[in-house]
Amino acid sequence: MNHQRLRQLRLARGMTLSDLAQATNHIVTRQAISKYEHGQAKPSPTVLQHLAQALGVRPTDLLNGQEIRIELIAYRKRASLRKRQHDQIAALADEVLRERLRLQRLIGDVSYLNVSLHHYPVADLADAETAANELRVRWDLGSAPIANLTDVLEDHGLHVIALDTVDGFDGVAAVVRDEHDTPVAAAVIARRTADGARWRMNLAHELGHLVLQPQGNLDEEKAAFRFAAALLAPASNLRAFIGARRHHMHLDELILMKHHFGMSIQALLYRMLTLEIISQRLYKSLMIELSERGWRTQEPEPLPLEEPIWLRRTVLRALAEELIDPAEAQRLLRGETTIPVDQPEMGRCQQLLYQPLPERHAILTAQAETARDLYQVTATPAHEVVTSEYN
């Protein structure tokens, strides 16, 4: 058994050792689980089955598989995030990425990572701006705003992952390496937000951590933010849209800019300050006005969230090719999409086998009750059958 995998799955579900022991109906103790996680003991096949069921995975998911290492880069969290929450999010990101890699291998996906990791050395923030412009050229994005950043990232082989988690987490980048330390996949992971503008900025920020190579004492977070702002709102396009120099600005104008560039109003204002389109005085004045309107905590006209589609598309493909069953598809999608099990070409027995165990038991119990009632009503006494045959 892969003892690290057991611990990672437990943490991803926010479970303590006692929680997991209770979920197995105390077939195994918390002390025994602790020994399993530290590689000091191995569970029997029966215990392994119960552990897997409690964690909502297959027993084979707890066994040693392909040797890969997932490296989390620049984990962005706030001081309010507790260590247990930090560990849970890291474990969840690890689990989601492993599931995706297994799914890729299952369908024979030969797509490759079209992102050069840590390709751009940056000694100052101006270098981060240059790196964003160079990446736009390399990806043939032009200078216009990016209509759908999520699609662009997935088209270049990056896994885009939205996590429903606590406010203290913003995002993290991840690199998957094989046993030879060769990068085989990469991901940008961000918290699902109510405003798509923040989601886009978080993705662009994590992309910065993947492609930039900060030099010296450069602040990596500031470099990633400058990269993200330049990627979403190139200087030339921003000046053409809003003007090279502004002394006054209407708030409704900022809302139009938000929709045009797909950036939050606050990020746009800071971007204009950085490019000296507005002065420090005007920037402060506008930020005060945002505070008075309550826009610093909740901006008006939130943008729709760009939904990643790679996972849904790949799961449905694997399901159509009968590489996975509907129950596995539903688990991989984490309830985001309802997978129908009453497919015309599937027999009733197959449909029953694809149901989760509790639903399967409920169906069989209901059918047994129906059969009992049927036999009680329609059964004919033996002597009546004999009489009727001779009449």
Side-chain angles (χ1 to χ4, degrees), residues 8-15 54-57 88 95 331:
Q8 179 257 324
L9 285 169
R10 176 178 64 80
L11 290 176
R13 283 144 182 76
M15 301 173 76
L55 293 167
V57 298
Q88 179 184 357
E95 179 191 358
R331 186 184 70 81

Side-chain angles (χ1 to χ4, degrees), residues 4 14 16 31 43 69 95 98 113 148 163-164 167 178 193 202 226 234 249 257 264 268 272 294 326:
Q4 294 177 336
T16 64
Q31 292 82 2
R69 177 171 60 87
E95 179 191 358
R98 288 180 186 275
L113 180 63
N148 191 313
L163 294 183
D164 294 302
D167 288 343
D178 62 15
T193 64
N202 282 339
R226 180 66 175 269
M249 189 166 290
M257 291 179 64
S264 70
L268 281 166
M272 288 187 285

Side-chain angles (χ1 to χ4, degrees), residues 349-362:
C349 290
Q350 282 182 294
Q351 293 179 27
L352 179 63
L353 290 174
Y354 285 153
Q355 293 284 354
L357 192 59
E359 284 81 352
R360 199 185 315 166
H361 286 168

Side-chain angles (χ1 to χ4, degrees), residues 206-269:
E206 300 309 328
L207 176 63
H209 283 303
L210 286 176
V211 301
L212 300 181
Q213 188 182 69
Q215 308 290 307
N217 297 322
L218 180 65
D219 188 314
E220 295 185 19
E221 288 300 312
K222 289 182 178 179
F225 182 83
R226 180 66 175 269
F227 171 89
L231 184 71
L232 295 175
S236 59
N237 190 270
L238 182 60
R239 290 191 176 101
F241 187 84
I242 201 69
R245 183 71 177 173
R246 295 294 300 272
H247 302 286
H248 305 283
M249 189 166 290
H250 198 283
L251 289 184
D252 286 345
E253 196 175 2
L254 293 173
I255 295 177
L256 292 175
M257 291 179 64
K258 174 179 180 176
H259 287 276
H260 183 74
F261 291 100
M263 292 174 63
S264 70
I265 293 174
Q266 295 174 74
L268 281 166
L269 284 174

Side-chain angles (χ1 to χ4, degrees), residues 98-123:
R98 288 180 186 275
E99 286 181 342
R100 288 183 173 223
L101 292 176
R102 185 183 70 82
L103 190 58
Q104 275 186 282
R105 292 194 298 269
L106 194 64
I107 67 171
D109 187 355
V110 295
S111 61
Y112 62 97
L113 180 63
N114 188 20
V115 178
S116 297
L117 303 177
H118 308 301
H119 179 72
Y120 301 102
V122 289

